[in-house]
Amino acid sequence: MIITKQYVKELILEELTKTEVKELVDDAIEKKLKRELPKAIKVEIEKALKAKDVKEDIGEITKKVIKKLYKDLSFHHPYIIDRIKI
């Protein structure tokens, strides 16, 4: 008797219930996502950060934050600015 891949798959599937099969598939999908998702996210973020308009937006946001921080420090905590050594 020749045992083929298909025959082995059919034997395994006969022994497994539908919920067990679903759990196995879900686990496989989850493992694949854990491996591939960080790589995909990294690639997309790198693409986005290389765009000129994104760089300009980041620069503008940074400027606003620094200005607000400076104003807050100078009005509410002037002694902190005096302690900065240049």
Side-chain angles (χ1 to χ4, degrees):
M1 178 178 186
I2 299 175
I3 299 176
T4 63
K5 275 187 172 181
Q6 185 62 31
Y7 179 71
V8 173
K9 286 180 184 179
E10 289 173 9
L11 284 175
I12 291 172
L13 287 175
E14 285 177 10
E15 296 299 319
L16 295 174
T17 64
K18 287 185 179 182
T19 56
E20 290 172 334
V21 171
K22 187 173 193 268
E23 287 174 8
L24 290 173
V25 170
D26 289 347
D27 289 344
I29 291 171
E30 185 177 337
K31 285 179 185 177
K32 189 170 184 175
L33 281 177
K34 283 183 180 180
R35 266 194 320 251
E36 295 178 7
L37 190 61
K39 293 175 190 174
I41 291 173
K42 183 179 177 183
V43 168
E44 290 301 318
I45 289 175
E46 287 174 353
K47 284 181 188 176
L49 290 178
K50 287 181 182 178
K52 187 175 181 178
D53 58 336
V54 173
K55 287 182 181 180
E56 290 174 358
D57 289 343
I58 291 172
E60 291 300 315
I61 292 169
T62 305
K63 287 178 190 177
K64 288 179 183 178
V65 169
I66 290 173
K67 286 177 184 177
K68 287 183 181 184
L69 176 64
Y70 176 75
K71 286 179 184 176
D72 183 51
L73 286 174
S74 65
F75 289 126
H76 300 292
H77 308 285
Y79 59 89
I80 292 176
I81 294 177
D82 292 339
R83 290 180 18 195
I84 296 175
K85 294 181 182 178
I86 300 176

